[in-house]
Amino acid sequence: MPNPTAAMLVIGDEILSGRTRDANMHYLAGQLTERGIDLKEVRVVSDDRDAIIAAVKALSEGYTHVFTSGGIGPTHDDITADCIAAAFGAHIDVRADARALLQAHYDRSGQELNEARLRMARIPDGATLIDNPVSTAPGFSLGNVHVMAGVPSVFKAMVASILPTLTGGAPLLSRTLQLFKGEGDLAGPLGAFAQDYPDLSVGSYPFQKDGVYGSNIVVRGSDAVALDLAIKALEAKFA
Amino acid sequence: MPNPTAAMLVIGDEILSGRTRDANMHYLAGQLTERGIDLKEVRVVSDDRDAIIAAVKALSEGYTHVFTSGGIGPTHDDITADCIAAAFGAHIDVRADARALLQAHYDRSGQELNEARLRMARIPDGATLIDNPVSTAPGFSLGNVHVMAGVPSVFKAMVASILPTLTGGAPLLSRTLQLFKGEGDLAGPLGAFAQDYPDLSVGSYPFQKDGVYGSNIVVRGSDAVALDLAIKALEAKFA
């Protein structure tokens, strides 16, 4: 059975303006690979209602799961929850379960659950809350879309909450062979090698560091024994 | 006149598997912002022909410029040039101008311009070459799509080659006010402030570092005087 597929949607002007370097994509990619969920596409869009809704619809239809990051805080530019609701045609308002979580949190910290903070309790009807052990305000899953915060520490905590609830596949394993040869010298025999192992994915990634250059040959697949055999054959070929 | 718009397409299994953390998106975002070209969307897709062609078509139709990174080396998994040609219905083969560049380069270094390396001279008819002062193998522009290498040092060099040839707009300027208050306390008055300055974009980005937390309020726009006035008003509001 093929692995489940996934897409990620990163929401935020600050990434597209170059002000902030996104960290969540790389983190999620590693987590999904370990769990055997194949990340097939990532999109980054700005804090724009139409752009978010269009991307959510396209990705939700195309992949088993969609993970979003960003835009669920208390400020005026946090519009993700309302956009997800609109994409699914779901009603959205402050929901009692999310409100109770926030009320308890702010009571403990002696802060006021004001109108702005209450925006973080806006959850679409039919959505399941995603636990946020870092700062309480929950994410949510609606249909196959999992909505999480953009702050990396909170994003990671939410990924840890949601991933164990999803059905994974065979984890994608990889073996790397580092060769101190340029890709141009390897490419011919490497292409032939890739054709000999149609069940494995063979990639070549050039590197150049401190004046030394070479290529990392990465072989990926879900069968550890097949991978070990392939990497041995590769070593013999290029030794 | 509104600024030109742009999208970026990052091509590569290694990003989606979490093996490599992309660096080119953040770099390009900063460069485009300085030049007044508004980066509106980024997509990351795998080394998959159909996925690359579909993304190129969608982005090429939607934005003034499309910048791609990755997949133009000599190995079997480098399929970007052929996909771009297919997306535009253009013929592609080894082209004399690109071949001459590579021949001179490998003659100088005493290496053979073998069949694999010659793949890097595959350029669609009608495309303009993008200079690569780092490792010679050129990128190219076809229509509004600018095709560049994934290796960060080469990507940067190609961006430096192509950007001065494109018409920019008014550079997007930004001012940041750092406040040691949580977003929940700022969100109400900040939303009202954003409504008072409809020509500026006002974003709020929470931070938490070494136990201290607060919010960076970022005001963006193309008019430096308007920005300075706004940030003074913001300081007065939250002082």
Side-chain angles (χ1 to χ4, degrees), chain B residues 18-38:
Chain B
R19 183 184 169 277
T20 300
R21 185 177 172 192
D22 170 71
N24 295 332
M25 177 171 91
H26 181 59
Y27 179 75
L28 182 67
Q31 292 292 305
L32 291 176
T33 295
E34 276 184 24
R35 205 166 170 81
I37 297 174
D38 295 347

Side-chain angles (χ1 to χ4, degrees), chain A residues 173-175 193 200-203 217-221 227 230-231 234:
Chain A
L173 308 173
S174 69
R175 302 279 185 276
F193 175 83
L200 303 177
S201 144
V202 181
I217 310 302
V218 179
V219 185
R220 298 188 191 88
L227 271 186
I231 210 85
L234 202 58

Side-chain angles (χ1 to χ4, degrees), chain A residues 46-238:
Chain A
S46 63
D47 303 321
D48 176 88
R49 185 177 163 89
D50 293 342
I52 296 170
I53 292 174
V56 166
K57 282 184 176 173
L59 297 175
S60 169
E61 283 165 16
Y63 302 98
T64 318
H65 294 287
V66 180
F67 300 87
T68 80
S69 90
I72 62 168
T75 58
H76 64 282
D77 54 343
D78 290 307
I79 61 174
T80 299
D82 283 76
C83 293
I84 304 288
F88 281 92
H91 176 257
I92 184 169
D93 204 341
V94 170
R95 225 170 70 173
D97 51 354
R99 184 191 182 119
L101 288 172
L102 292 174
Q103 188 72 62
H105 172 72
Y106 289 110
D107 283 351
R108 275 195 305 274
S109 66
Q111 292 176 294
E112 184 203 355
L113 179 54
N114 59 19
E115 195 184 320
R117 292 192 172 110
L118 209 50
R119 272 174 58 77
M120 295 189 287
R122 288 179 69 80
I123 304 285
D125 287 359
T128 308
L129 300 186
I130 298 177
D131 189 35
N132 168 6
V134 173
S135 52
T136 304
F140 63 85
S141 298
L142 182 62
N144 63 344
V145 180
H146 311 289
V147 177
M148 299 179 285
V151 176
S153 59
V154 182
F155 181 80
K156 283 188 186 185
M158 287 182 173
V159 169
S161 298
I162 185 74
L163 267 196
T165 72
L166 306 179
T167 303
L172 189 66
L173 308 173
S174 69
R175 302 279 185 276
T176 301
L177 180 65
Q178 188 168 70
L179 296 169
F180 292 96
K181 292 182 179 176
E183 283 196 308
D185 289 318
L186 303 170
L190 192 65
F193 175 83
Q195 288 195 328
D196 289 346
Y197 291 84
D199 292 343
L200 303 177
S201 144
V202 181
S204 170
Y205 307 103
F207 65 85
Q208 189 166 9
K209 204 177 175 185
D210 304 330
V212 177
Y213 71 100
S215 309
N216 284 312
I217 310 302
V218 179
V219 185
R220 298 188 191 88
S222 54
D223 181 338
V225 175
L227 271 186
D228 288 337
L229 287 174
I231 210 85
K232 281 213 172 69
L234 202 58
E235 282 170 351
K237 193 165 193 139
F238 289 108

